[in-house]
Each structure stands twice: as C-alpha cells, then as structure tokens.
Amino acid sequence: MGVIFLLCVDTLQLIMPKILESATDSLEGGTLTRKSLAVHAAALLLVSVGIAVFRFLFRYTLYGVSRSIEHSFRNRLYAHLQKLSANYFNTHKTGDIMAHVTNDMNNVTMATGQGVIFAVDCLLMPAASLVMMLQTGGFRLTAASFAPILILGVLVFSYMKIMQSTVQRQQEAFSNLTEAARENFSGIRVIKSFVQEKHRTEHFERINEANRRANLRFTRLMSLMFPSVMLISSLSFVIALWYGGMLVIEGSVSLGGFVAFNSYLGMLIWPITALGWVANIFKRGSVSLGRINALMDEKPEIADRPGAVPLVIPGAANSAGKTKAIEFRNLTFSYPGSSEPVLKDISFSVDHGKTLAIVGRTGSGKSTLVNLIPRILPAPEGTLFIYGRDINDISLSSLRSNVGCVPQDTFLFSDTIRNNIDFYRGFSAEETEKAAKTARLYDDIMEFPRKFDTVVGERGVTLSGGQKQRTAIARAIIGSPPILILDDCLSAVDTRTEEAILRELKSIMEQRTCIIVSHRVSAVKDADEIIVLDEGRIIERGTHESLIGQKGYYHDLYTRQLLADEIEEAE
Amino acid sequence: MADDNGRDETGFAEEELQVKVYDFRLLKRLLGFAAHYWYLFVLAAVLLFASTAADLARPYLIGVAIDDFIKEGDAASLGRTGMYFLLLVISGFIFNLLQIYVLSYAGQSIIFNIRQRLFEHMQKLPLSYFDKNPVGRLVTRVTNDTEALNEVYTNVLVTLLKDLAILAGVVVIMFRLDVTMTLVSLAIMPAVIALTVFFRRRIRKVYRNVRTSLARINAAISENISGMRVIQMFNREKENFERFDKTGREYYRAVMSEIVTFGLFRPAVEMMSYIALSLLIWFGGLEVLDGTLQFGILYAFVNYISMFFHPINDLAEKYNILQASMAAAERIFLILDTPAEEDSGMLSIPDDFRGEIEFRNVWFAYNEDDWVLRDVSFTVPAGKTVAIVGATGAGKTSIINLLSRLYEIQKGEILIDGINIRDIRKDDLRRLTGVVLQDVFLFSGKLKDNIRLNEESITDGKVQEAARYVNADEFISRLPNGYDTEVMERGSTFSAGQRQLLAFARALAFDPKILVLDEATSNIDTETEMLIQDALARLTRNRTTIVIAHRLSTIQHADRIIVLHKGRVRESGTHQELLAKRGMYYSLYQLQYQKQEPSFFQ
C-alpha cells in the first residue's frame, strides 16, 4: 500500500516537468493563451497537491509499518529474553544485551523504513527519469549528460569502500578515548595519591589528539565527497546546458523539452548519490538482524518439558512431617564451562512444614543450592525432587508460584512500594499491608510521603539496604507460598530488627516448608535441621544443640558470634 | 552492582531529564569556546559566501543563456556561457570543499579543547564527587556528550549561516531581476512563516515525547534484564511483558505522531513552494505573453524559488540537532561549574623532614553528622610503625584518605612534624605519603610503567631495584616479557598476592617518607604471603608507617597498636601490653586472628 503511494508520488513528480515543458513550448510557439496558461498553472497546483497528499500517505504507511514491525520485534525479543536462564545473564553483560535491543533494533528499523523507501526511490526514480529524458531529449543528449552521473555512481561506491576503513579507525579512536576516560575515573584514587594528574592529562591528551586526527581524516573524506558529488552532477548540467542548448538552436529539441530535460536530470542526481548510502543501511541492517537472530536462537535452558505436570501439594496439617517436600539425592552441580563442581554429592530432605537452615562460608555453594529449588538454575535429572516428583517434570509456573524466594541480592523495580510487594499478582491492599507488617516494613512505609504509593529507586525514594531486604521479604511472603526460601536475606538489617523479623516470621515458617540461608547463628538456631556447607559439600548436619556438641565449624561460628556480639555491645 | 548501578552505568535513566528547552546563555558560552578560532570561522564564512554566490549565479546564467543565446541561436556565446558555468561549478566546488574542511577542523579542535579541559577539571574534583557519580556516567560526559557538541559548531552554525546567505541572496537577486515577479513569488511567505512557527512548536513537543519514551524503553529493558532472576523466580513473565509492551506502545505512538507531524510539515512546505511556482508561472506566463518579461528570467525565477524553499524544509531538523547538543552542553557545563578540590596549603616540605604524624582530636564524616571518626588522637613517632585494628565499620580505612587529604576532616588537626597538613601544598603532601590500597589498581600499559606511573625520573633500573626489594622481581622476571609485559584486563591475570607486591613496588619506587597501607584481606597462598610479610618488614624499616592491619603477623611487627571501635580510639599499646589488658584487643584477637595462619605462630 505504502509502496503504491510512493509510486504515485514518483509518477506525479515525473509529470511536473512535462507541464513545464508544454507550457514553455506553447509559450515559445505563440500558441499560449491566457486560458491555457491558467490551465497549466492549475494543473501544476493540482499535481503538487497530489504529491503532498501521497507523500504524506506513503510516509505514514511505510514508516508506520516499519515502526510497528519494530514494536512487535522488540516485544518478541524481550519475551525471548524472559525465557533465558540465569546462566545466560551471568555470562552475558547487560550492556551487550542492551546493545542488541537498542542499536541493532534501530538498525533493522532503519533498513525496513528509510531503507525500503530510498531503495524504491533510488531504483525507480532514476529509471523513470532516464526514460523521460530519453523521450524528451533524445538519446545523444541523454547519453552525454548521463555519462558524468555514471562516474558519480562509481565514485560514490568507491568512496564507501574507503570510508569503511576510515570509519573503523574513527570508531577505534573513540573507543580508546572511552577506555582512557574509564580507566582514569576508576583509578582516580591512585592518580590523586601519587600526584599523577599531570601525567594522566598528558596521556589523555595524546589519545584525544589521536581521536581528533581520526575524525579529521573522516571529515577530509566527507568534505571531498559531498562537493565532488555536486561537482560531477553540475558537470551533467553543464553538458545539458551546452549540448542541449545547441540542440535547441539546431531545432531538434524544443525549448520546453530542454527545460523539462533539465528537471529530469535534477531528479536523477539525488537517488544515484544516495545509492551507496542505501546499500550501507541495508548492510548494517542485515548485520544487526543477524546478531538479533543469534540471540533469538539461544535456546532457553530451562523450560517446561512436554508432559510437564503441575505441582500437587498435599493439603492439611495432618501430612506435616510425613511427606518429603524437598529432597536432594546425590546432587552434583557445576556451572556450564566450568569443570569444578560447585555442589558435590548433596543429599538431604526437608519434610513438609519443617525448616532447614544452611550455613557456610562465602562461596561454599549455599546460594547455588537454593537457586536450584525454584529452577533458576537447572538441576540434573533425578537429583532433586519436590513432593516426590523430579523437579524437571514439574511445570515451571506451578513450581514457581508455590515457592516464595527472598534472593540474596535484592532487586527492586523503579515502581511504587505497593507494586514491588504485590508484584502484579493482584493481592488486596490488606494483604499487602499485612506482608509489610510481617517484614517490619510497615512503619518505614508510613513515614514516606506517599505511603504505599511512594516510588522507589532512581526516580523516587532511595531505600536503605535493610529496607530493600525487607521489601523483598514482604514480596516473598505475601500470598503465603507453601515453600519459602530465605537466602541470607537479613544481612543488611541490624541485629534488633533481625530478631523482630525472625519472631514475626516464625509463625509463618511453622506452617510451611522453609529453607533459610544465613551467616548468623541467631537466625538458624531454631531450625529443625542445620547443614553446614563447605566447598560444595555438606560437612556437618544436625540440630543447633547437636552441632554445638560436635565442636566443628558450627561451634566455631557460634563462639565467634558470641564474641562479636560482645564487641558490638561494648561502648 | 546488579540493580540501580547497572542502570546508572549505561546512563539511560537520566536520558529522560536531558530534554530541555535550549538556553541562549548556553549558546553564548559555547561560542566562547569558539572565540580562539575566530579567524577560522571568518575564513569559513568568506568561503561560504563565495560558494553560495557561485550556487546562486547558476540559474541566472542559465536564464541568460536561454534568453540571449539559445533563443537567438548564438552557438558561440552559448559555448562561452557553458565555460562560465563550468568555471562557476569548479570554483563553487573548491570553495565548498575548503569551507567544509576549515569548519570541521575548527570544530574538531574546539571539541578537542573542551574535552581536554573537561578531563582536566574532572581530575581535580574531590574524591567525594567520584563516590557519588558512577564511572559510566562520567565517561559519557567526556566522550559522547562532547562529541554531540560538534554538531553545534559544524552543522548548526554553518547551515544557519548558509541558509541565511541563500535566503538573502535569492531575495536580492530576484529583486534585481524583476521586482513584480519577486513580490509575486514571495506572496506566499507569510503563510510559510506561519506554518513554520506553528510546526516548530509542535515538532519540539513531539520530539521531546519521542526521546522521553525511548529513554523509558531503554530504562525498562535495562531494569528488566538486571531483575530477570526475580521476575522468573516469581513467575511474573507475563505481567512484565505486558508492562513492557505498554512502554513500547507509548513509544510507538510517540513515533507515529512524529511521523505525522513531519509528514505534514514537509509536504506542506513543499506544497507552498509549488503554489509559489504556480503563481510564478501564471503571472510570469502572462508577462511573457505581454512581452514584458523574458522567458529566461522566468526560468531563473523557477529555479530560485526551489532554492529558497530548501533551507526552510531543513529548519525543523536542524532545530532538533541543536536541542540535543544543548542538552549535552548543559551536562558538560554542570561539571565544569562543580568546584575543584581546594588547596589552601602554601608550605613545602622542609629539608630536615623527620616524619612524625599526629592526629589531634580528629572528627570526620563522609556525610554530614554521620561521624566515622570521633575525636581520634594518636601519634606515630618518626620512623615507627603503627597498626590500626578494629572490627569492620570501625573507621579504619578513612584514616588513609585523611592523611593525604583525599577527604577533608571536619574538626581537629592532623600534623606532620608539627605542621598542620592543611598548610602544606597538596601535591607535596601526597608525594610525601605513599599509599598502598587494598584493591590494587593497575593501568593498561607495561608493567614497569605501572610501577613508575609515568614518572620519568624513575629509571628502569630503579623500577627493578624497587621490585627486587619487595620480592616482586622474581615473578616479574618469570613473565615472558618481564617488565615490558602488557597489563591485560585490568591486571586480572595476576594473583591477589602478586598485585599486592606490585603495589609495594610502586610505593617504594616513589620512596615516600611516610607509608600508609591498607592490607589486602583476600586469601593469599602461603608462599606469597611469606614474600609479602618479608617485603613489608623491609618497606616499613625506618619509615613512618600506618598500617590498617588484617594480619596478625603485621600487627605483631608494629611498634604500636591502636584499637579503633565505632570511630573512637579504644585502646593502644604493644601487642603484649594489649593482650595482657584482656580488653577489646584481646576479644578481637580471639575473634579474628587466633585461628589465622597457624604455621606462622606456633
């Protein structure tokens, strides 16, 4: 549709010189009357209105199409990103993924929008103009004035070739500049301490200068290119003027034909010049499309397998302590691309309604272990069972809606507190408030200017680390998920608040299956079972009392913390 | 790192703020940077007028050719006119080429200067500024934002001039050719002006909407990627997709209204030019019929009219570019207006410098009233080593920053040989004190340059000597390129212990009178640990040293130990004295050091 409009514009544009021709000729021939002059002027006006209308229509439809392609394409890309696993995001930089969704997407849009329009224009207009030129000016005049334009085409293409290496050099210089600035600001402390400001400035100046030189190289080319395009196209006009003029004098071409010929020539030049540019747009577009497709082809590592079943949790309290809610059977896990397993031969189970605590050093594999349960990380076949069923056979949505997680690194969205707790699950205001109270967040919220509707994050209120963690806790406990995982979620709150939250949580934890990861003995001591992880293995297990008796890692941790508390309290 | 900062680094979120109505003062200030190159701009302007004149003469020449030669059948004169035309074209080409080049040269040089000035200024900003602003944002200021200014100098400034020249030139020539016809062709002008004014306002609004919603999309993508784990954990893919789709749709709507606006503006201006053309043909044709106007003149007029409308068509686009550059300029000036680190110190270091340090009732806070150090007093006698210990958050690390005045204390005094450090020139003070930080920062470049940090007075021999002294020579010599090894990926190829040794070598190469050292907490293999301890012992010999100690071995070597707790000095004395006291040091020792490095102390 849009292409048809575009064709209409082009056709009307071709008619324009014809009107001028006929007007000129009848003027020259003396046949022009006031009436026919008026007709000519009116025709001109009519055609111009037509051009304006169709131009608007084609722009609207063609650009519109490319934009809605962009929109749905971006949505598809985003939907795909959502399916990729944590491993993918661990191994790919956010900036790189962003570049796909922004720059590459932009290049593709350019190609489908401007690219298509100019391609049609660049191929069609010259051809049509050429035909019209032949018709009005005859072969020899056309050939003579077209010759420089051919040279122009060749020139532009070879320019593009040279340009490529220059642009590459320019980009390199710019990325050197970026890196130099980055390095400097990251190392500013060293620079200041060693009084290296002057040296670093000189260093930067060299790179800055290299960047300037690369840019000047580029502009030298550009300043040569555009005027030479003008020069060659003007040569065409010179030929048309001189040779065409001769032909008019000879009488083989009419004056009107001469005028029209010049107009057609004018229409020819721009598209030929733009040809190289259009080729460039398409090239960039296809490279970007390739990169996006590579991302789209990335197979989601974690997905429902065919025949996945929803998770069934036996209700009622009578099953408490009898059913194994979570069971690890000789699980060994390593991250892709790494030979060293993070978890080695892990076996334990948590009965329905019971609480398990995990302690261990940083890097002992605690977080990896708990991330397997909501299948943020993939567990090998036959090693992890939820209510007796292999986790890989359970549908993702049913699994995850039954598991409430408070991850170690809390993430809040720049949105209202309410939306961050409710997380678009449609809980009632009372439920949200209750969750906030349990997480000891309610009083903090009440002090914010807009209460639950306060926006957090960069464009709103900045929360403290502890407040963030408590928001994350509220988000996990709202809606009472049967399985609750707390991954070191109290590290940023002070001891007193921690105790208060734990007291509140206790009542909740009693009714559900719970795994709690912590460094602090105070947080884990009441658990039904405590396991100690070290370098991916379970090295101790038991209750608080029995572990103290073992005089191992846990006992050590316990005594150290008692000491630390003493120091903390010393004033 | 994963949440808010991730967004900051890319700088997408703030994009929203950047759309602002441009400010005349900004433009004036920007032009101030151009003043140094005024002669280039004058030259460019002259060239510009010359090339515009060449352009403008062309339709006139064709008109003359038609009237006087083609219609008269004067082939010889036509040939001559062809030559003139060619000459005009070639001279136009040369003028144009020179003009573009001169101007880009000026533009690039100005950008170079602004960038250099910005960089220098940023280096002088206090450290607290760098704490508040993520590196990614600062880098963008020096790179992309300055680049955006280029447009102001080359594109906007010139085209503005050129457009004005064309408009004026066309009008003048038209008047000279034929007054009536000129009036006829310009009859449409009031409508064109009204149209432009109307659209300019709309375009500004539309453009702003597009930029804002694009920034929102980018922020949403960045946020969702960073928070993907949470989204998946809570099974919120569908809801988040819907929200994302909504943001996308807003952008789509904004873009579509941009398309409509531009789609209306361009053809509308074009139609105006055709109306002018029709009027021209109608009136001109009549006059030609009456014999009062020559056909060639009419032809020239037709060409001039299309020349006249060209700049008007571009106006809106130029305006957008200008706005983006202005936003960049504003951010740059904001940094340039941030006051640099102050230095009121006048004194140099006396020759008979001994190196005694005294903290006298020092109070310090990074943020107002949030005291990190409270009334801290202690002395380090010249040539002695003092270790500072304490639990995390006791305020130990800030002591390093204070001595070299990376941060300023709020109350009290820090004295070196009895001179308040505020009275010493900052550069001298910092040269006096060597600092070894916990995380060793390595610059890209050769290893030896990382040790001497481009200080030319430190020869290769001295670099090697320093490295040998602190036991770094051994592992460096084993590298294939030795001291000329290029540091890759910010030094991640070196182990923590090796990096620590490099930092020692760096500190020693500068031979500071005072050494301040923050020990690395990371795990280091026993062999390297021994090398480090040995190096440390040599490094501190006869040098006034403050160590933020994390290792028992270091503490034991210290002449004196200061126990810091919650910003206050709680205890001080030697290791044995403090242990005997059974106070806080004793508890800390039990907690942190007892189990450590058993091989060393049994």
Side-chain angles (χ1 to χ4, degrees), chain A residues 292-311:
Chain A
I292 294 177
N293 278 339
L295 180 63
M296 294 292 281
D297 286 344
E298 193 81 35
K299 287 257 175 331
E301 188 187 11
I302 298 172
D304 280 348
R305 64 169 46 159
V309 292
L311 177 63

Side-chain angles (χ1 to χ4, degrees), chain A residues 290-565:
Chain A
R291 280 156 50 103
I292 294 177
N293 278 339
L295 180 63
M296 294 292 281
D297 286 344
E298 193 81 35
K299 287 257 175 331
E301 188 187 11
I302 298 172
D304 280 348
R305 64 169 46 159
V309 292
L311 177 63
V312 182
I313 295 178
N318 58 7
S319 59
K322 290 174 193 148
T323 327
K324 282 178 180 171
I326 301 167
E327 187 186 6
F328 282 73
R329 269 186 221 157
N330 309 102
L331 178 138
T332 297
F333 178 84
S334 44
Y335 284 100
S338 145
S339 52
E340 183 68 12
V342 187
L343 294 173
K344 294 163 206 154
D345 197 24
I346 299 288
S347 293
F348 68 83
S349 63
V350 190
D351 287 340
H352 181 82
K354 297 288 180 192
T355 296
L356 174 93
I358 305 174
V359 294
R361 286 196 186 89
T362 325
S364 58
K366 304 184 301 273
S367 286
T368 306
L369 194 152
V370 293
N371 274 329
L372 290 167
I373 298 167
R375 257 180 103 196
I376 290 301
L377 292 172
E381 199 75 22
T383 55
L384 175 53
F385 298 85
I386 309 290
Y387 285 99
R389 196 173 279 282
D390 190 315
I391 195 165
N392 295 302
D393 292 331
I394 302 170
S395 77
L396 270 181
S397 61
S398 75
L399 174 72
R400 288 178 181 166
S401 55
N402 279 306
V403 178
C405 271
V406 187
Q408 193 174 28
D409 44 346
T410 49
F411 187 88
L412 300 188
F413 293 84
S414 22
D415 204 331
T416 60
I417 295 204
R418 182 187 308 285
N419 284 343
N420 264 299
I421 294 175
D422 172 60
F423 214 13
Y424 318 110
R425 285 169 292 186
F427 291 110
S428 68
E430 291 85 57
E431 283 174 296
T432 312
E433 277 171 33
K434 195 171 153 250
K437 276 179 185 153
T438 311
R440 293 270 146 178
L441 185 66
Y442 187 79
D443 294 341
D444 296 60
I445 295 174
M446 283 303 133
E447 276 175 28
F448 292 144
R450 305 195 54 205
K451 312 272 191 286
F452 274 91
D453 294 317
T454 308
V455 173
V456 298
E458 211 167 326
R459 264 160 285 154
V461 174
T462 312
L463 298 186
S464 73
Q467 286 170 331
K468 279 187 190 169
Q469 284 191 337
R470 282 177 275 150
T471 312
I473 292 173
R475 177 193 285 162
I477 58 177
I478 192 174
S480 318
I483 298 173
L484 189 63
I485 295 171
L486 308 172
D487 186 2
D488 197 17
C489 64
L490 293 166
S491 58
V493 301
D494 61 88
T495 334
R496 219 161 293 147
T497 318
E498 182 194 346
E499 265 167 37
I501 294 177
L502 284 174
R503 219 177 305 124
E504 289 285 339
L505 280 179
K506 194 164 274 175
S507 64
I508 296 178
M509 280 156 64
E510 266 164 18
Q511 300 149 32
R512 62 202 82 244
T513 314
C514 199
I515 294 188
I516 177 165
V517 176
S518 183
H519 296 302
R520 295 194 195 169
V521 172
S522 55
V524 301
K525 64 177 191 299
D526 294 326
D528 297 303
E529 186 178 12
I530 301 167
I531 60 176
V532 181
L533 274 188
D534 190 41
E535 291 180 355
R537 285 183 197 283
I538 299 179
I539 53 165
E540 289 169 31
R541 64 200 307 166
T543 61
H544 177 69
E545 282 74 24
S546 72
L547 284 175
I548 297 276
Q550 281 182 31
K551 302 250 174 220
Y553 175 89
Y554 187 82
H555 174 259
D556 199 40
L557 186 75
Y558 176 67
T559 44
R560 269 160 187 258
Q561 261 169 34
L562 281 184
L563 260 170
D565 288 348

Side-chain angles (χ1 to χ4, degrees), chain A residues 75 84 189 192 196 414 424, chain B residues 223 232 245 341 401 453:
Chain A
N75 274 351
L84 296 177
R189 185 180 285 262
K192 278 183 183 289
Q196 292 300 310
S414 22
Y424 318 110
Chain B
E223 178 174 277
Q232 291 179 344
D245 179 54
E341 244 183 306
N401 296 329
L453 289 173

Side-chain angles (χ1 to χ4, degrees), chain B residues 187-347:
Chain B
I188 198 91
M189 274 321 285
V192 173
I193 291 170
L195 195 75
T196 315
V197 169
F198 170 75
F199 269 103
R200 206 189 66 165
R201 205 162 292 156
R202 256 201 72 82
I203 284 170
R204 186 197 296 176
K205 210 181 116 212
V206 160
Y207 175 70
R208 186 181 312 171
N209 283 344
V210 169
R211 295 208 41 130
T212 318
S213 52
L214 182 64
R216 241 179 241 147
I217 285 199
N218 288 338
I221 295 169
S222 161
E223 178 174 277
N224 281 332
I225 290 176
S226 310
M228 193 58 82
R229 190 188 288 244
V230 181
I231 294 171
Q232 291 179 344
M233 231 174 232
F234 285 87
N235 218 2
R236 295 296 91 195
E237 287 95 334
K238 220 176 93 219
E239 289 74 7
N240 259 60
F241 175 78
E242 273 158 22
R243 283 196 330 138
F244 183 73
D245 179 54
K246 215 176 103 202
T247 322
R249 248 199 311 260
E250 263 164 39
Y251 174 64
Y252 175 73
R253 265 198 296 275
V255 170
M256 284 315 276
S257 80
E258 186 194 28
I259 290 173
V260 169
T261 309
F262 272 99
L264 284 175
F265 178 67
R266 283 268 174 70
V269 171
E270 205 172 41
M271 208 165 84
M272 291 284 175
S273 80
Y274 281 126
I275 291 173
L277 197 67
S278 307
L279 279 174
L280 208 60
I281 300 239
W282 165 241
F283 276 98
L286 283 182
E287 285 200 17
V288 173
L289 275 183
D290 292 344
T292 47
L293 184 72
Q294 281 190 303
F295 175 74
I297 308 268
L298 181 59
Y299 178 85
F301 260 97
V302 169
N303 271 331
Y304 281 127
I305 278 295
S306 60
M307 270 191 171
F308 189 80
F309 274 90
H310 225 273
I312 297 178
N313 232 332
D314 284 350
L315 219 62
E317 215 135 314
K318 291 282 135 58
Y319 186 73
N320 283 349
I321 294 174
L322 188 67
Q323 288 227 313
S325 306
M326 283 302 158
E330 198 174 359
R331 291 193 295 261
I332 288 173
F333 287 139
L334 198 68
I335 292 185
L336 285 179
D337 292 341
T338 307
E341 244 183 306
E342 275 171 46
D343 188 9
S344 52
M346 308 287 282
L347 300 179

